[in-house]
Amino acid sequence: EFQAIIENIEEEGLIEREESELIKSAVVFSDTTVDSIMVPLSDVVAIEINERPEIIREKLLSVKYSRLPVYIGTPDKIVGILHSKDYLLGMLHNKPQKLKAAITPPYYIHPDTKLDALFEGLGRRRTHMAIVTDELGRALGIVTMEDVLEELFGEIYDEDDRPAELPPEKEGPIC
């Protein structure tokens, strides 16, 4: 019903189409749960806590992620988050850290958490990733701040992403 009101306001010209879409997204956002946007554990790149530093380095350099979950034994037992940049900078400056000392505590959430609550929780904890767990505390997947923002605003393109509908940029000066 609320969306119909927004559409009527848009049709009357009181708000622009983009504003209407944002308002509708915000309404859907508050009703959407984490399980609908999370990355399932089977698709998550993670690091075992006892992994050798050279293997960790190779893994960090081979993926484009700035944070990776760290687990003990099996991937469903996530115990921390590794910030790639910090770990790699330590190695670069010949000050490598033990993985256990380099990780930050994870933010655990349940799959039925609403996105607005997740957004607030991520902001309050000043973190960008949450671990989605079942009732026994086993990891089911992850969700990031980017996932949440994309749900509200649409696809966000990083420097590594290229929208399918845009042609590749040409090299050289712009005239």
Side-chain angles (χ1 to χ4, degrees):
E1 184 177 315
F2 183 73
Q3 289 191 356
I5 294 170
I6 297 303
E7 287 172 9
N8 285 339
I9 292 172
E10 179 187 348
E11 287 171 8
E12 292 175 15
L14 298 174
I15 60 174
E16 297 293 323
R17 183 176 170 275
E18 293 80 16
E19 294 169 312
S20 170
E21 292 302 317
L22 184 58
I23 293 168
K24 290 179 201 173
S25 291
V27 171
V28 171
F29 179 81
S30 64
D31 289 335
T32 304
T33 56
V34 165
D35 61 343
S36 67
I37 70 163
M38 75 176 192
V39 176
L41 194 58
S42 59
D43 295 340
V44 172
V45 177
I47 297 172
E48 210 285 323
I49 198 152
N50 295 313
E51 197 66 74
R52 294 189 335 262
E54 58 273 10
I55 301 297
I56 296 169
R57 180 183 169 278
E58 289 304 315
K59 188 174 270 192
L60 293 176
L61 293 173
S62 69
V63 298
K64 63 176 184 159
Y65 305 118
S66 59
R67 294 164 186 81
L68 291 179
V70 176
Y71 64 91
I72 291 181
T74 59
D76 66 338
K77 296 177 183 165
I78 296 175
V79 295
I81 306 298
L82 179 64
H83 294 252
S84 304
K85 180 184 81 170
D86 297 338
Y87 189 81
L88 290 171
L89 280 174
M91 292 183 101
L92 181 67
H93 296 331
N94 292 321
K95 296 178 184 176
Q97 283 187 297
K98 297 244 183 242
L99 187 56
K100 289 179 185 178
I103 62 175
T104 58
Y107 170 35
Y108 298 107
I109 57 167
H110 291 284
D112 59 351
T113 303
K114 302 281 188 191
L115 293 190
D116 54 350
L118 170 62
F119 183 76
E120 181 182 322
L122 289 169
R124 192 172 49 250
R125 288 170 180 78
R126 298 178 189 256
T127 188
H128 290 257
M129 180 183 288
I131 309 303
V132 184
T133 60
D134 64 13
E135 61 280 348
L136 299 176
R138 293 179 302 226
L140 301 171
I142 65 168
V143 64
T144 65
M145 181 64 86
E146 182 175 342
D147 297 327
V148 175
L149 293 174
E150 285 181 342
E151 190 65 23
L152 185 57
F153 298 110
E155 189 66 29
I156 297 172
Y157 295 101
D158 302 313
E159 57 276 356
D160 296 326
D161 298 332
R162 183 165 301 282
E165 65 275 1
L166 294 178
E169 292 182 27
K170 294 180 181 176
E171 296 293 323
I174 299 174
C175 299

PDB file of all heavy atoms in Angstrom, residues 54-73:
ATOM      1  N   GLU A  54      53.436 -17.971   4.026  1.00  0.00           N
ATOM      2  CA  GLU A  54      53.598 -17.843   2.570  1.00  0.00           C
ATOM      3  C   GLU A  54      52.328 -18.259   1.817  1.00  0.00           C
ATOM      4  O   GLU A  54      52.000 -17.689   0.783  1.00  0.00           O
ATOM      5  CB  GLU A  54      54.833 -18.614   2.063  1.00  0.00           C
ATOM      6  CG  GLU A  54      54.859 -20.089   2.365  1.00  0.00           C
ATOM      7  CD  GLU A  54      55.456 -20.444   3.740  1.00  0.00           C
ATOM      8  OE1 GLU A  54      55.702 -19.554   4.565  1.00  0.00           O
ATOM      9  OE2 GLU A  54      55.641 -21.647   3.968  1.00  0.00           O
ATOM     10  N   ILE A  55      51.582 -19.215   2.360  1.00  0.00           N
ATOM     11  CA  ILE A  55      50.310 -19.628   1.747  1.00  0.00           C
ATOM     12  C   ILE A  55      49.270 -18.517   1.947  1.00  0.00           C
ATOM     13  O   ILE A  55      48.512 -18.194   1.033  1.00  0.00           O
ATOM     14  CB  ILE A  55      49.813 -20.960   2.343  1.00  0.00           C
ATOM     15  CG1 ILE A  55      50.844 -22.072   2.124  1.00  0.00           C
ATOM     16  CG2 ILE A  55      48.450 -21.330   1.784  1.00  0.00           C
ATOM     17  CD1 ILE A  55      51.107 -22.409   0.675  1.00  0.00           C
ATOM     18  N   ILE A  56      49.261 -17.933   3.135  1.00  0.00           N
ATOM     19  CA  ILE A  56      48.342 -16.819   3.408  1.00  0.00           C
ATOM     20  C   ILE A  56      48.637 -15.670   2.457  1.00  0.00           C
ATOM     21  O   ILE A  56      47.724 -15.097   1.851  1.00  0.00           O
ATOM     22  CB  ILE A  56      48.467 -16.348   4.878  1.00  0.00           C
ATOM     23  CG1 ILE A  56      48.030 -17.458   5.821  1.00  0.00           C
ATOM     24  CG2 ILE A  56      47.656 -15.072   5.103  1.00  0.00           C
ATOM     25  CD1 ILE A  56      48.354 -17.188   7.276  1.00  0.00           C
ATOM     26  N   ARG A  57      49.917 -15.342   2.315  1.00  0.00           N
ATOM     27  CA  ARG A  57      50.321 -14.258   1.417  1.00  0.00           C
ATOM     28  C   ARG A  57      49.827 -14.513   0.005  1.00  0.00           C
ATOM     29  O   ARG A  57      49.246 -13.628  -0.632  1.00  0.00           O
ATOM     30  CB  ARG A  57      51.845 -14.124   1.432  1.00  0.00           C
ATOM     31  CG  ARG A  57      52.381 -13.040   0.540  1.00  0.00           C
ATOM     32  CD  ARG A  57      53.931 -13.039   0.574  1.00  0.00           C
ATOM     33  NE  ARG A  57      54.463 -12.195  -0.453  1.00  0.00           N
ATOM     34  CZ  ARG A  57      54.628 -12.560  -1.736  1.00  0.00           C
ATOM     35  NH1 ARG A  57      54.316 -13.764  -2.131  1.00  0.00           N
ATOM     36  NH2 ARG A  57      55.114 -11.707  -2.611  1.00  0.00           N
ATOM     37  N   GLU A  58      50.053 -15.706  -0.507  1.00  0.00           N
ATOM     38  CA  GLU A  58      49.613 -16.046  -1.865  1.00  0.00           C
ATOM     39  C   GLU A  58      48.095 -15.938  -2.002  1.00  0.00           C
ATOM     40  O   GLU A  58      47.600 -15.424  -3.003  1.00  0.00           O
ATOM     41  CB  GLU A  58      50.086 -17.452  -2.254  1.00  0.00           C
ATOM     42  CG  GLU A  58      51.579 -17.549  -2.485  1.00  0.00           C
ATOM     43  CD  GLU A  58      52.084 -16.567  -3.532  1.00  0.00           C
ATOM     44  OE1 GLU A  58      51.456 -16.431  -4.602  1.00  0.00           O
ATOM     45  OE2 GLU A  58      53.113 -15.911  -3.260  1.00  0.00           O
ATOM     46  N   LYS A  59      47.383 -16.400  -1.004  1.00  0.00           N
ATOM     47  CA  LYS A  59      45.917 -16.336  -1.056  1.00  0.00           C
ATOM     48  C   LYS A  59      45.445 -14.883  -1.058  1.00  0.00           C
ATOM     49  O   LYS A  59      44.579 -14.499  -1.841  1.00  0.00           O
ATOM     50  CB  LYS A  59      45.300 -17.100   0.107  1.00  0.00           C
ATOM     51  CG  LYS A  59      43.787 -17.225  -0.007  1.00  0.00           C
ATOM     52  CD  LYS A  59      43.217 -18.107   1.072  1.00  0.00           C
ATOM     53  CE  LYS A  59      43.194 -19.532   0.600  1.00  0.00           C
ATOM     54  NZ  LYS A  59      42.399 -20.412   1.470  1.00  0.00           N
ATOM     55  N   LEU A  60      46.038 -14.066  -0.190  1.00  0.00           N
ATOM     56  CA  LEU A  60      45.647 -12.648  -0.118  1.00  0.00           C
ATOM     57  C   LEU A  60      45.933 -11.923  -1.427  1.00  0.00           C
ATOM     58  O   LEU A  60      45.159 -11.061  -1.851  1.00  0.00           O
ATOM     59  CB  LEU A  60      46.361 -11.949   1.036  1.00  0.00           C
ATOM     60  CG  LEU A  60      45.967 -12.397   2.443  1.00  0.00           C
ATOM     61  CD1 LEU A  60      46.838 -11.691   3.472  1.00  0.00           C
ATOM     62  CD2 LEU A  60      44.501 -12.165   2.711  1.00  0.00           C
ATOM     63  N   LEU A  61      47.048 -12.253  -2.054  1.00  0.00           N
ATOM     64  CA  LEU A  61      47.418 -11.596  -3.311  1.00  0.00           C
ATOM     65  C   LEU A  61      46.608 -12.101  -4.503  1.00  0.00           C
ATOM     66  O   LEU A  61      46.483 -11.406  -5.508  1.00  0.00           O
ATOM     67  CB  LEU A  61      48.916 -11.762  -3.580  1.00  0.00           C
ATOM     68  CG  LEU A  61      49.834 -11.030  -2.603  1.00  0.00           C
ATOM     69  CD1 LEU A  61      51.292 -11.397  -2.858  1.00  0.00           C
ATOM     70  CD2 LEU A  61      49.628  -9.531  -2.682  1.00  0.00           C
ATOM     71  N   SER A  62      46.039 -13.287  -4.381  1.00  0.00           N
ATOM     72  CA  SER A  62      45.315 -13.862  -5.520  1.00  0.00           C
ATOM     73  C   SER A  62      43.828 -13.503  -5.542  1.00  0.00           C
ATOM     74  O   SER A  62      43.146 -13.743  -6.532  1.00  0.00           O
ATOM     75  CB  SER A  62      45.480 -15.383  -5.543  1.00  0.00           C
ATOM     76  OG  SER A  62      44.791 -15.967  -4.454  1.00  0.00           O
ATOM     77  N   VAL A  63      43.326 -12.938  -4.450  1.00  0.00           N
ATOM     78  CA  VAL A  63      41.914 -12.532  -4.403  1.00  0.00           C
ATOM     79  C   VAL A  63      41.845 -11.019  -4.243  1.00  0.00           C
ATOM     80  O   VAL A  63      42.789 -10.386  -3.798  1.00  0.00           O
ATOM     81  CB  VAL A  63      41.134 -13.236  -3.261  1.00  0.00           C
ATOM     82  CG1 VAL A  63      41.112 -14.738  -3.471  1.00  0.00           C
ATOM     83  CG2 VAL A  63      41.677 -12.885  -1.904  1.00  0.00           C
ATOM     84  N   LYS A  64      40.691 -10.447  -4.585  1.00  0.00           N
ATOM     85  CA  LYS A  64      40.558  -8.985  -4.524  1.00  0.00           C
ATOM     86  C   LYS A  64      39.914  -8.495  -3.230  1.00  0.00           C
ATOM     87  O   LYS A  64      39.613  -7.328  -3.100  1.00  0.00           O
ATOM     88  CB  LYS A  64      39.738  -8.499  -5.717  1.00  0.00           C
ATOM     89  CG  LYS A  64      38.326  -9.022  -5.714  1.00  0.00           C
ATOM     90  CD  LYS A  64      37.501  -8.453  -6.832  1.00  0.00           C
ATOM     91  CE  LYS A  64      36.078  -8.942  -6.692  1.00  0.00           C
ATOM     92  NZ  LYS A  64      35.127  -8.138  -7.364  1.00  0.00           N
ATOM     93  N   TYR A  65      39.758  -9.375  -2.258  1.00  0.00           N
ATOM     94  CA  TYR A  65      39.043  -9.004  -1.040  1.00  0.00           C
ATOM     95  C   TYR A  65      39.963  -8.338  -0.019  1.00  0.00           C
ATOM     96  O   TYR A  65      41.103  -8.740   0.160  1.00  0.00           O
ATOM     97  CB  TYR A  65      38.386 -10.235  -0.412  1.00  0.00           C
ATOM     98  CG  TYR A  65      37.494 -10.961  -1.387  1.00  0.00           C
ATOM     99  CD1 TYR A  65      37.757 -12.271  -1.757  1.00  0.00           C
ATOM    100  CD2 TYR A  65      36.393 -10.325  -1.960  1.00  0.00           C
ATOM    101  CE1 TYR A  65      36.945 -12.935  -2.663  1.00  0.00           C
ATOM    102  CE2 TYR A  65      35.588 -10.980  -2.863  1.00  0.00           C
ATOM    103  CZ  TYR A  65      35.865 -12.288  -3.216  1.00  0.00           C
ATOM    104  OH  TYR A  65      35.070 -12.936  -4.112  1.00  0.00           O
ATOM    105  N   SER A  66      39.439  -7.341   0.656  1.00  0.00           N
ATOM    106  CA  SER A  66      40.226  -6.638   1.664  1.00  0.00           C
ATOM    107  C   SER A  66      40.145  -7.316   3.026  1.00  0.00           C
ATOM    108  O   SER A  66      40.960  -7.033   3.902  1.00  0.00           O
ATOM    109  CB  SER A  66      39.768  -5.184   1.777  1.00  0.00           C
ATOM    110  OG  SER A  66      38.405  -5.130   2.119  1.00  0.00           O
ATOM    111  N   ARG A  67      39.180  -8.197   3.206  1.00  0.00           N
ATOM    112  CA  ARG A  67      39.012  -8.915   4.470  1.00  0.00           C
ATOM    113  C   ARG A  67      38.664 -10.365   4.160  1.00  0.00           C
ATOM    114  O   ARG A  67      37.857 -10.625   3.276  1.00  0.00           O
ATOM    115  CB  ARG A  67      37.867  -8.317   5.293  1.00  0.00           C
ATOM    116  CG  ARG A  67      38.114  -6.930   5.770  1.00  0.00           C
ATOM    117  CD  ARG A  67      36.822  -6.255   6.231  1.00  0.00           C
ATOM    118  NE  ARG A  67      37.067  -4.865   6.554  1.00  0.00           N
ATOM    119  CZ  ARG A  67      37.138  -3.895   5.664  1.00  0.00           C
ATOM    120  NH1 ARG A  67      36.954  -4.140   4.388  1.00  0.00           N
ATOM    121  NH2 ARG A  67      37.371  -2.653   6.039  1.00  0.00           N
ATOM    122  N   LEU A  68      39.251 -11.265   4.934  1.00  0.00           N
ATOM    123  CA  LEU A  68      38.930 -12.677   4.776  1.00  0.00           C
ATOM    124  C   LEU A  68      38.636 -13.282   6.142  1.00  0.00           C
ATOM    125  O   LEU A  68      39.342 -12.999   7.111  1.00  0.00           O
ATOM    126  CB  LEU A  68      40.094 -13.449   4.139  1.00  0.00           C
ATOM    127  CG  LEU A  68      40.409 -13.147   2.681  1.00  0.00           C
ATOM    128  CD1 LEU A  68      41.601 -13.976   2.214  1.00  0.00           C
ATOM    129  CD2 LEU A  68      39.222 -13.405   1.785  1.00  0.00           C
ATOM    130  N   PRO A  69      37.614 -14.140   6.208  1.00  0.00           N
ATOM    131  CA  PRO A  69      37.351 -14.854   7.463  1.00  0.00           C
ATOM    132  C   PRO A  69      38.477 -15.849   7.746  1.00  0.00           C
ATOM    133  O   PRO A  69      39.077 -16.400   6.828  1.00  0.00           O
ATOM    134  CB  PRO A  69      36.041 -15.598   7.184  1.00  0.00           C
ATOM    135  CG  PRO A  69      35.487 -15.014   5.938  1.00  0.00           C
ATOM    136  CD  PRO A  69      36.623 -14.422   5.187  1.00  0.00           C
ATOM    137  N   VAL A  70      38.734 -16.059   9.017  1.00  0.00           N
ATOM    138  CA  VAL A  70      39.736 -17.024   9.462  1.00  0.00           C
ATOM    139  C   VAL A  70      39.018 -18.063  10.313  1.00  0.00           C
ATOM    140  O   VAL A  70      38.219 -17.710  11.182  1.00  0.00           O
ATOM    141  CB  VAL A  70      40.850 -16.325  10.277  1.00  0.00           C
ATOM    142  CG1 VAL A  70      41.841 -17.342  10.822  1.00  0.00           C
ATOM    143  CG2 VAL A  70      41.555 -15.279   9.417  1.00  0.00           C
ATOM    144  N   TYR A  71      39.299 -19.337  10.049  1.00  0.00           N
ATOM    145  CA  TYR A  71      38.608 -20.416  10.751  1.00  0.00           C
ATOM    146  C   TYR A  71      39.598 -21.378  11.401  1.00  0.00           C
ATOM    147  O   TYR A  71      40.778 -21.413  11.069  1.00  0.00           O
ATOM    148  CB  TYR A  71      37.676 -21.165   9.803  1.00  0.00           C
ATOM    149  CG  TYR A  71      38.374 -21.887   8.669  1.00  0.00           C
ATOM    150  CD1 TYR A  71      38.782 -23.211   8.812  1.00  0.00           C
ATOM    151  CD2 TYR A  71      38.608 -21.251   7.459  1.00  0.00           C
ATOM    152  CE1 TYR A  71      39.417 -23.882   7.764  1.00  0.00           C
ATOM    153  CE2 TYR A  71      39.246 -21.904   6.411  1.00  0.00           C
ATOM    154  CZ  TYR A  71      39.640 -23.218   6.569  1.00  0.00           C
ATOM    155  OH  TYR A  71      40.275 -23.870   5.549  1.00  0.00           O
ATOM    156  N   ILE A  72      39.077 -22.153  12.346  1.00  0.00           N
ATOM    157  CA  ILE A  72      39.844 -23.217  13.003  1.00  0.00           C
ATOM    158  C   ILE A  72      39.238 -24.545  12.580  1.00  0.00           C
ATOM    159  O   ILE A  72      38.037 -24.774  12.790  1.00  0.00           O
ATOM    160  CB  ILE A  72      39.786 -23.098  14.536  1.00  0.00           C
ATOM    161  CG1 ILE A  72      40.559 -21.877  15.009  1.00  0.00           C
ATOM    162  CG2 ILE A  72      40.339 -24.357  15.200  1.00  0.00           C
ATOM    163  CD1 ILE A  72      40.568 -21.689  16.514  1.00  0.00           C
ATOM    164  N   GLY A  73      40.048 -25.405  11.984  1.00  0.00           N
ATOM    165  CA  GLY A  73      39.616 -26.757  11.645  1.00  0.00           C
ATOM    166  C   GLY A  73      38.746 -26.838  10.408  1.00  0.00           C
ATOM    167  O   GLY A  73      39.183 -27.292   9.361  1.00  0.00           O
TER     168      GLY A  73
END
